[in-house]
Amino acid sequence: MLNKYSLSAVMLAVSVALLSCNQDSSSGKTASKPMLSSDDAKQFVDNAQLELEKISFPSATASWVYQTNINQDTAALSAYLSEKVSSLSSSLAKQAADFNNVEVDPDTRRKLDLMRNSLVLPAPANPEKSARLSQITSDLEGMYGSGKYCKTENDCMGLTDMSSVMSASRDEALLLEMWQGWRQVSPPMKALYEEEVELANEGARELGFTDISDLWRGSYDMPADDFAVELDRLWGQVKPFYDALHCHVRAELGNEYGTDKVPQDQPIPAHLLGNMWAQSWGNIYDIVKPKQELEVIDVTQALADHNYDEIKMVKQAESFFSSLGFEPLPDSFWERSQFVKPEGRDVVCHASAWDLDNKDDLRIKMCIQKTGEEFAVIHHELGHNYYQRAYKNQPLLYKNSANDGFHEAIGDTVALSITPKYLKEIGLVDSIPDASNDIGMLLKLALDKIAFVPFGLMVDQWRWKVFSGEVKPADYNKAWWELREKYQGVMAPVVRSSDAFDPGAKYHVPANTPYTRYFLAHILQFQFHKTLCDISGNTDPIHRCSIYGSKKAGEALNNMLEMGQSKTWQEALTTLTGNGEMDASAILDYFAPLKDWLDEQNQGRTCGF
Ligand code: X8Z
Ligand code: ZN
């Protein structure tokens, strides 16, 4: 069950009468455990789901109210309900373990396992500690959401405006100011984060996990250590391509800003890549594009030319899903979503998709900017909503994606079909650039998709080390930059001060959203795209394929989505693609023509970092 796709995953719980018999209330002594049967297990699971239903809606509502209006009262409400949910979740997970040695049917076993494995920050049993953990969780989210950089007391900027500067400005000093400015938000988070890790680790140990890293890595239908190996395998597939892209980008940035600013034998300074976190680089396409003038569609410009406002952008995205055969979004979606940043109050602008009642109360929360980048994010968010609706008839514990990477991949898969052909079909452009321009188009997309891959990996590589204690609080920031350099070949543009806590300046760290899901999504979306293009009867090169209008593709996609988490992700993947392995060949094949071009550009250059 998952209400909001971007915060914690399942935080479920229930107190089940069945198990209170473990405690002899008259004497206060623990009685010997009764023999539990498979019927007891089923009843436990059924009761659990009922209780979960009850708490789910109020807690999701409190969270919605908080994030769309951050103040002391909404914070208190949200922390209160999140404590209820997480202490119940943890208690449920512990009770589920009582059935470890009971022979039960596979369906009940899966549900019991999900109860134990799907927690993100398990609460310790001690009520004060549990309440403290919820308070910290809620405070960190609020600190990020209301974070501002103030030059003077009356001259402040929020993240949305600062991000716009990061994407458009080519003034190195200004970029550096924005980059440093936003990172002033996070030092006060550090002590809280440290405490949060300690408390959640205690909760994880009570559940029999070594620490939260063990818990997070263990929720992928395979042993935790095997999953880590699987990630390394996938990254190994993509790395040569990333290295080629990195080499070209560094060289062109050197031409733009000078090699004193961009030394050609070192990682790239993080403020020059068109994004606050240097996680996707599409915004610097103009700097790194091929020298011969290739015609690449500027979606931001096309939206402006055709007077698209925020709502029209969302309507257009909805109509893509409708063309695949999905029902239109309910009226309540249009009435209740937050599309635009409201005036006069703080909100969490980071985009998210919500399912408040586990049925039809779907919403997105965004502060939409009228750009091509945000047009893709809208599709991303709607992908979550359509997934949520597709699995709404599953039992509560299966109301989730096959693994969290699947949830993140669906909207992106659809957005890969925003091709020139599609843009022409919906009237956003007048003509389709011919195939000789494809390198430009592929480069622009690779700057977002390939460049993202090592970032998608390193965030949790850092967190896993923090959770396991391998990285101590004194080294939080140092370890962060070591991983940034190692995986991304990106470095801090200035020496970081001793109180810096740069991980806290990335939403998912204070919000405790696991990040490996995005790494997986970047691999999976190309696998999904390939399959859906084949099903739609596409004959164009894969990077020109749009599944727009293909009911057959929509049906195949829906068949997987409606499974929710009822089966392993390997089974879900097989249902759609015929193969149960995650495989980066699809992303590599998609960009293959670009690889040759990059290799040519890089001849004679020093590559590597
Ligand atoms: O957080 C998101 C989505 C919401 S689930 C907008 N993304 C990651 C990020 O912004 O860091 C999408 C791509 C990566
Ligand atoms: Zn998402």
Side-chain angles (χ1 to χ4, degrees):
M1 187 275 309
L2 182 116
N3 295 105
K4 175 194 146 205
Y5 221 87
S6 117
L7 185 70
S8 36
V10 190
M11 301 228 303
L12 315 171
V14 61
S15 57
V16 179
L18 169 70
L19 291 158
S20 60
C21 58
N22 283 353
Q23 187 75 25
D24 179 341
S25 54
S26 56
S27 67
K29 285 186 206 137
T30 303
S32 62
K33 288 191 179 178
M35 284 290 285
L36 292 169
S37 67
S38 68
D39 281 349
D40 292 334
K42 274 195 190 157
Q43 200 194 330
F44 168 72
V45 166
D46 287 348
N47 288 345
Q49 295 189 109
L50 283 176
E51 290 294 321
L52 292 168
E53 293 269 12
K54 282 193 219 157
I55 189 83
S56 169
F57 183 68
S59 74
T61 309
S63 190
W64 173 268
V65 169
Y66 178 42
Q67 293 195 31
T68 56
N69 186 3
I70 302 172
N71 64 43
Q72 212 184 339
D73 300 330
T74 56
L77 197 61
S78 160
Y80 176 80
L81 275 147
S82 107
E83 198 279 322
K84 292 270 166 272
V85 174
S86 73
S87 61
L88 282 170
S89 313
S90 299
S91 127
L92 176 64
K94 278 172 205 150
Q95 295 172 52
D98 289 347
F99 296 98
N100 280 353
N101 297 320
V102 179
E103 208 168 298
V104 297
D105 62 276
D107 184 65
T108 306
R109 175 57 57 210
R110 183 162 178 80
K111 288 176 179 156
L112 290 166
D113 288 347
L114 285 172
M115 280 186 215
R116 186 167 173 269
N117 288 329
S118 306
L119 300 163
V120 175
L121 290 184
N126 176 313
E128 279 97 53
K129 289 184 177 177
S130 168
R132 177 73 186 142
L133 179 59
S134 296
Q135 191 61 52
I136 294 174
T137 310
S138 158
D139 286 352
L140 285 173
E141 178 111 25
M143 286 162 86
Y144 188 94
S146 55
K148 282 173 195 64
Y149 159 59
C150 299
K151 273 192 229 188
T152 64
E153 212 184 315
N154 299 319
D155 182 9
C156 296
M157 280 177 94
L159 179 59
T160 308
D161 292 338
M162 297 175 82
S163 288
S164 299
V165 176
M166 292 302 291
S167 63
S169 171
R170 303 295 175 243
D171 172 346
E172 194 270 333
L174 180 61
L175 291 169
L176 187 58
E177 183 192 345
M178 293 295 117
W179 191 92
Q180 286 185 282
W182 178 243
R183 280 155 187 80
Q184 288 176 9
V185 166
S186 48
M189 295 176 185
K190 188 179 168 204
L192 289 174
Y193 191 74
E194 216 180 300
E195 200 184 339
E196 184 180 57
V197 170
E198 215 170 279
L199 290 168
N201 266 340
E202 194 173 321
R205 282 192 289 271
E206 288 175 13
L207 288 171
F209 294 96
T210 324
D211 50 52
I212 354 176
S213 148
D214 186 28
L215 170 61
W216 282 24
R217 287 182 294 124
S219 55
Y220 290 92
D221 296 310
M222 55 168 66
D225 290 343
D226 294 3
F227 178 63
V229 172
E230 190 67 352
L231 295 181
D232 289 343
R233 178 181 68 78
L234 293 166
W235 170 229
Q237 285 185 279
V238 180
K239 186 168 171 19
F241 203 123
Y242 179 77
D243 288 346
L245 183 66
H246 181 280
C247 188
H248 174 66
V249 166
R250 183 172 61 191
E252 295 296 352
L253 286 173
N255 293 337
E256 173 82 14
Y257 294 104
T259 49
D260 55 328
K261 294 281 177 216
V262 189
Q264 295 297 296
D265 55 355
Q266 282 179 44
I268 303 173
H271 62 314
L272 303 178
L273 288 154
N275 175 275
M276 185 57 92
W277 307 274
Q279 66 182 61
S280 48
W281 307 345
N283 291 320
I284 56 155
Y285 173 71
D286 60 316
I287 298 177
V288 306
K289 70 184 180 188
K291 293 292 164 278
Q292 64 275 37
E293 212 29 74
L294 296 185
E295 192 195 339
V296 169
I297 294 170
D298 180 345
V299 178
T300 304
Q301 192 58 52
L303 292 168
D305 292 346
H306 293 81
N307 295 320
Y308 270 59
D309 62 11
E310 296 83 353
I311 306 292
K312 194 162 176 207
M313 289 167 74
V314 184
K315 290 264 179 207
Q316 190 61 59
E318 179 195 36
S319 79
F320 198 120
F321 286 89
S322 300
S323 87
L324 300 176
F326 291 92
E327 289 293 312
L329 292 162
D331 290 346
S332 57
F333 170 89
W334 300 102
E335 288 153 11
R336 298 172 192 171
S337 287
Q338 175 194 294
F339 300 114
V340 181
K341 187 174 187 311
E343 288 292 324
R345 63 181 203 252
D346 286 328
V347 300
V348 177
C349 273
H350 190 87
S352 52
W354 300 59
D355 173 11
L356 278 89
D357 64 353
N358 294 309
K359 284 195 282 289
D360 304 304
D361 192 349
L362 306 169
R363 308 178 196 177
I364 61 171
K365 177 185 65 59
M366 288 185 70
C367 301
I368 299 177
Q369 303 295 295
K370 289 178 270 182
T371 63
E373 191 178 0
E374 289 273 280
F375 193 44
V377 176
I378 293 168
H379 289 75
H380 174 98
E381 297 309 331
L382 291 194
H384 288 309
N385 281 151
Y386 284 101
Y387 211 151
Q388 288 158 338
R389 194 164 59 181
Y391 57 57
K392 74 172 181 178
N393 293 325
Q394 289 287 347
L396 195 77
L397 286 161
Y398 290 157
K399 285 186 184 181
N400 204 340
S401 51
N403 73 36
D404 53 6
F406 282 57
H407 230 305
E408 299 303 337
I410 301 309
D412 282 13
T413 301
V414 169
L416 287 177
S417 282
I418 306 177
T419 55
K421 185 173 75 180
Y422 167 68
L423 293 171
K424 174 147 191 285
E425 206 160 331
I426 62 168
L428 262 176
V429 299
D430 299 331
S431 62
I432 304 175
D434 75 50
S436 61
N437 298 292
D438 282 8
I439 290 298
M441 190 170 97
L442 284 169
L443 178 58
K444 172 112 174 59
L445 195 65
L447 290 168
D448 282 334
K449 300 291 183 181
I450 301 264
F452 179 84
V453 174
F455 184 74
L457 191 59
M458 66 73 51
V459 175
D460 282 352
Q461 300 287 324
W462 178 80
R463 269 194 290 211
W464 295 347
K465 285 177 196 280
V466 165
F467 294 164
S468 72
E470 188 185 328
V471 168
K472 304 272 179 292
D475 294 326
Y476 278 176
N477 216 49
K478 183 168 151 266
W480 174 259
W481 284 106
E482 278 166 9
L483 290 165
R484 293 271 262 169
E485 293 188 15
K486 173 180 165 190
Y487 284 103
Q488 289 186 278
V490 162
M491 65 180 180
V494 283
V495 175
R496 307 306 295 139
S497 72
S498 60
D499 70 341
F501 181 52
D502 297 328
K506 175 68 198 160
Y507 171 75
H508 303 70
V509 173
N512 281 302
T513 309
Y515 211 80
T516 305
R517 57 183 62 186
Y518 303 109
F519 171 83
L520 299 177
H522 276 67
I523 307 296
L524 285 168
Q525 62 188 262
F526 288 91
Q527 290 185 259
F528 296 161
H529 180 65
K530 181 185 176 347
T531 296
L532 295 173
C533 285
D534 288 346
I535 292 172
S536 75
N538 168 65
T539 51
D540 289 331
I542 188 72
H543 58 273
R544 287 185 158 243
C545 159
S546 178
I547 61 167
Y548 182 62
S550 172
K551 298 280 184 298
K552 271 192 183 167
E555 196 186 327
L557 180 60
N558 190 54
N559 287 342
M560 179 177 78
L561 302 190
E562 67 185 13
M563 290 167 74
Q565 205 172 10
S566 62
K567 296 282 184 308
T568 62
W569 64 259
Q570 292 89 338
E571 287 169 273
L573 187 54
T574 306
T575 300
L576 180 62
T577 69
N579 187 324
E581 281 245 311
M582 289 191 277
D583 181 8
S585 314
I587 185 173
L588 297 175
D589 290 349
Y590 185 102
F591 289 109
L594 178 67
K595 178 68 167 48
D596 294 339
W597 183 86
L598 286 170
D599 289 344
E600 248 171 63
Q601 307 306 305
N602 290 334
Q603 272 178 20
R605 285 173 173 161
T606 338
C607 296
F609 43 86

